[in-house]
Amino acid sequence: MNGSHAVIRALLAEGVDTIFGYPGGAIMPVYDAIYDYQDHVNHILVRHEQGAGHAAEGYARLSGKVGVCLVTSGPGATNLITAIADAIIDSTPMVCVVGQVAKHLLGTDAFQETDVIGVTMPITKWNFQITSADEVPEVMAKAFYVARAGRPGPVLIDITKNAQSEMMTKPFKYDFCHKLPGYHPRLVPKREHVEAAATLINGAKRPFLLFGHGVKLAGAEKELLELVEKTGIPCASTLLGLSSVPVNHPLYAGWLGMHGNYSTNRLTNECDVLIGIGLRFDDRVTGDVTRYAKQAKIVHIEIDPAEVDKVVKAHAPVVGDAKEALRMLTPLLNPNSHEEWHAKFKELDAEEEEAITIPELSANTEKIKMAEVVRMLSDKTKGEAVIVADVGQHQMVAARYYEFKRNNSFITSGGLGTMGYALPAAFGAKVGDPEREVVAIIGDGCFQMTIQELGTIAQSGLPVKAIILNNNYLGMVRQWQQLFFEKRYSFVELQNPDFITIARGFGVDGHTCDQRENLSDSLDKMLASDKPYLLEVIVEKEENVFPMVASGASVAEIRLR
């Protein structure tokens, strides 16, 4: 067996059913091997390597499996960099197999040679260059183990062309990797650390629980609900944690961060015990960290020890998998209700409802508001669709106004904030779970970053739905320029193409809605389609998203307008 066939056999051994890729010279032997396995693995030809990476991310996020992408050397590899960086910061498991020039050409600046190992070292959990066919089985097994184990993330395998073509000197044998020297992620936390956390929580008068993406990754939604229902602790979500708790649950207080809810941000600085589960306390959550929850004792449950005490000092750190930690913690906690504390959240929620939510959803403006589109979509899909949001104002509006009722229903680029993420990620998500309704919500700027992936979607025929909220602006940058740069709009207005004509050119049907009275029928038409569909909605040009914590401000300084 040659190295290329060994790569495909390794992928099949790991249960890989889908590869997102784009062929080229340095990876051609592996593509030749795929030809022999077309009945065993589904290769999806994207239109750009960045699209392969984001599609693999979306696939991984919804299916719970490792996403796999396959690209060639040089520009093929460098085009994948953005998606790899996105995956590392958002903890998405991905294995990227990248072609490389032959071993004897390494370091000679050969055609399409790039030091992809050096380039990706800071943005992968692990990377490795295979230069011999005999290395393939062991390295591939390690790659999948590292991508999945502990805090998930991307792994890159760079394989030279000679290693793909040459014959193995021994029979192919695939041994799954279950541990590695020097890498021992702790899943079960130390008992004494859980007990210390329980002591702090049981003594709290105003406890507040924050949960993030780690709850989804651990599959700990059930355990999280058991804890909050026993203790009566109000809970709030980070952007990537959204949908882990249904929005209509009486103990769900909302979401956190720069454009999160008024109550959840304000009361972070009034709680006496702050419990963080599966989150990094990143700057979008904390605002000015020197003024973040200084009055509170901090419990931090996190699988990655590097994140503990990195931003916020934990009084009771618990290193371990969220599901295991919650299973150990909940039996140690006292039943409670905290009714007076809940009343404070409700009081601030009423202020936000009056100042923002009601005006946004009952607008009498000439143009449609983004909030109207998202809430109507939420109502029509009963809060059960998978929403894949791109980055910007529309992302914040999707997070605010879609009423998530089903677990694992929100996918977006969180830490890196990658424009162009949603279209390929929505496609990958639909491949990962074809039975779920998947709707991408995209801005007109973001859409043009990866518009070519309409070709991938059309060729697949999968009924991915996409909504462009078109305001002819780079909306979030424009909002900041209005609020903080004296309305000096510097290069944020877009002269957009006819998106629907372009979509039809790719073979994707769609239409434009620019009248409020047509919005309901437009959404119905999109959702009823059994094929890919693009709905463009013309929205108000200079609409701002509030509430907002200004950059450098305390979360307690969140503004309603």
Side-chain angles (χ1 to χ4, degrees):
M1 183 182 295
N2 66 19
S4 295
H5 281 78
V7 169
I8 305 305
R9 286 281 297 274
L11 294 175
L12 294 175
E14 290 287 351
V16 173
D17 55 20
T18 303
I19 301 168
F20 302 93
Y22 202 97
I27 199 65
M28 208 172 292
V30 173
Y31 271 87
D32 185 64
I34 292 176
Y35 191 87
D36 295 329
Y37 292 92
Q38 293 180 68
D39 293 337
H40 299 85
V41 66
N42 178 29
H43 178 278
I44 293 171
L45 177 65
V46 297
R47 299 306 188 264
H48 189 282
E49 290 87 355
Q50 182 180 347
H54 292 324
E57 287 186 273
Y59 174 92
R61 294 272 286 270
L62 194 58
S63 71
K65 302 175 184 177
V66 176
V68 176
C69 40
L70 181 67
V71 303
T72 194
S73 65
T78 57
N79 283 346
L80 195 59
I81 296 298
T82 298
I84 296 172
D86 194 273
I88 192 72
I89 202 165
D90 283 353
S91 308
T92 303
M94 189 160 70
V95 170
C96 307
V97 180
V98 177
Q100 184 55 278
V101 300
K103 182 180 178 180
H104 74 278
L105 292 174
L106 291 172
T108 68
D109 292 332
F111 179 65
Q112 292 191 332
E113 181 193 1
T114 298
D115 178 11
V116 70
I117 294 296
V119 170
T120 61
M121 192 170 290
I123 56 170
T124 51
K125 278 189 76 177
W126 182 59
N127 62 15
F128 189 89
Q129 186 175 75
I130 294 176
T131 58
S132 165
D134 287 332
E135 295 176 299
V136 169
E138 182 181 359
V139 172
M140 293 295 289
K142 286 181 179 178
F144 277 87
Y145 171 73
V146 173
R148 281 189 292 247
R151 178 181 175 179
V155 171
L156 182 137
I157 303 303
D158 192 41
I159 180 167
T160 59
K161 198 167 184 180
N162 64 287
Q164 299 170 49
S165 300
E166 69 187 26
M167 303 302 289
M168 297 178 68
T169 62
K170 50 193 175 185
F172 178 87
K173 183 174 182 290
Y174 197 79
D175 295 318
F176 292 95
C177 181
H178 299 291
K179 61 180 180 179
L180 282 174
Y183 182 57
H184 306 288
R186 185 191 300 166
L187 299 182
V188 180
K190 292 182 179 179
R191 180 78 185 180
E192 61 268 29
H193 292 171
V194 177
E195 290 173 348
T199 299
L200 278 182
I201 296 168
N202 284 332
K205 301 297 183 186
R206 300 181 307 281
F208 190 20
L209 188 151
L210 318 180
F211 61 89
H213 195 197
V215 170
K216 282 186 193 178
L217 292 170
E221 293 93 342
K222 175 174 172 286
E223 288 75 12
L224 175 63
L225 274 180
E226 288 173 354
L227 185 148
V228 297
E229 287 172 354
K230 179 178 181 180
T231 60
I233 297 175
C235 64
S237 172
T238 66
L239 183 67
L240 292 188
L242 283 169
S243 78
S244 293
V245 173
V247 298
N248 58 350
H249 194 283
L251 294 172
Y252 179 69
W255 66 291
L256 304 153
M258 182 170 279
H259 290 283
N261 291 112
Y262 189 57
S263 64
T264 56
N265 280 289
R266 280 275 305 273
L267 295 179
T268 295
N269 276 15
E270 294 185 28
C271 67
D272 59 355
V273 173
L274 189 65
I275 307 144
I277 303 176
L279 77 163
R280 301 183 289 114
F281 287 110
D282 71 286
D283 62 297
R284 285 303 191 260
V285 164
T286 65
D288 179 4
V289 74
T290 66
R291 294 183 285 163
Y292 181 78
K294 290 302 179 183
Q295 79 293 338
K297 299 290 185 183
I298 308 291
V299 174
H300 192 185
I301 298 172
E302 168 60 43
I303 197 168
D304 185 355
E307 296 294 348
V308 177
D309 291 342
K310 186 171 83 173
V311 177
V312 173
K313 175 69 177 175
H315 300 86
V318 178
V319 175
D321 176 79
K323 178 178 281 198
E324 296 293 337
L326 291 170
R327 282 175 174 172
M328 293 171 66
L329 178 61
T330 301
L332 303 178
L333 300 179
N334 300 328
N336 211 323
S337 60
H338 300 291
E339 290 178 8
E340 290 185 14
W341 179 227
H342 279 286
K344 291 199 170 193
F345 284 88
K346 289 184 172 60
E347 181 183 328
L348 295 179
D349 288 343
E351 286 186 43
E352 181 179 338
E353 186 86 5
E354 184 70 25
I356 299 173
T357 309
I358 292 173
E360 287 292 302
L361 295 178
S362 56
N364 57 6
T365 52
E366 180 184 347
K367 296 291 185 183
I368 301 167
K369 288 200 168 243
M370 291 184 283
E372 298 176 78
V373 182
V374 173
R375 181 56 60 85
M376 191 178 288
L377 175 68
S378 179
D379 292 342
K380 289 180 179 294
T381 55
K382 299 182 171 59
E384 295 188 346
V386 177
I387 300 301
V388 184
D390 221 296
V391 172
Q393 286 183 316
H394 57 280
Q395 179 188 34
M396 300 296 104
V397 170
R400 278 186 57 77
Y401 292 102
Y402 195 89
E403 297 183 304
F404 299 98
K405 306 286 175 58
R406 183 172 173 181
N407 289 343
N408 200 17
S409 293
F410 187 61
I411 297 172
T412 193
S413 170
L416 197 64
T418 305
M419 290 178 67
Y421 173 88
L423 189 63
F427 171 68
K430 188 68 175 178
V431 174
D433 191 345
E435 300 305 312
R436 296 286 304 268
E437 179 79 81
V438 177
V439 182
I441 296 178
I442 312 176
D444 46 313
C446 291
F447 193 72
Q448 293 175 80
M449 293 272 186
T450 51
I451 192 170
Q452 69 277 355
E453 298 309 328
L454 285 171
T456 308
I457 294 169
Q459 189 167 345
S460 76
L462 285 174
V464 177
K465 314 296 169 59
I467 299 173
I468 301 176
L469 299 178
N470 185 356
N471 57 12
N472 288 101
Y473 268 122
L474 300 175
M476 187 61 84
V477 181
R478 186 213 53 77
Q479 177 171 335
W480 278 57
Q481 288 178 346
Q482 177 186 335
L483 297 177
F484 307 115
F485 293 87
E486 301 176 347
K487 208 173 181 180
R488 289 157 58 90
Y489 291 167
S490 182
F491 301 100
V492 288
E493 190 162 11
L494 295 168
Q495 179 178 316
N496 289 322
D498 183 334
F499 293 119
I500 302 305
T501 296
I502 290 173
R504 287 177 177 156
F506 278 108
V508 174
D509 199 8
H511 75 278
T512 298
C513 173
D514 60 2
Q515 300 295 322
R516 185 172 279 111
E517 57 267 27
N518 297 331
L519 180 58
S520 180
D521 288 344
S522 291
L523 287 169
D524 287 340
K525 184 175 182 180
M526 178 195 75
L527 292 169
S529 175
D530 60 357
K531 295 177 180 179
Y533 202 93
L534 176 66
L535 172 62
E536 177 188 26
V537 182
I538 307 301
V539 297
E540 190 174 323
K541 281 198 69 160
E542 295 191 42
E543 181 180 353
N544 290 334
V545 183
F546 287 101
M548 180 178 183
V549 179
S551 181
S554 162
V555 290
E557 295 171 336
I558 185 170
R559 53 193 280 187
L560 287 171
R561 282 295 178 193

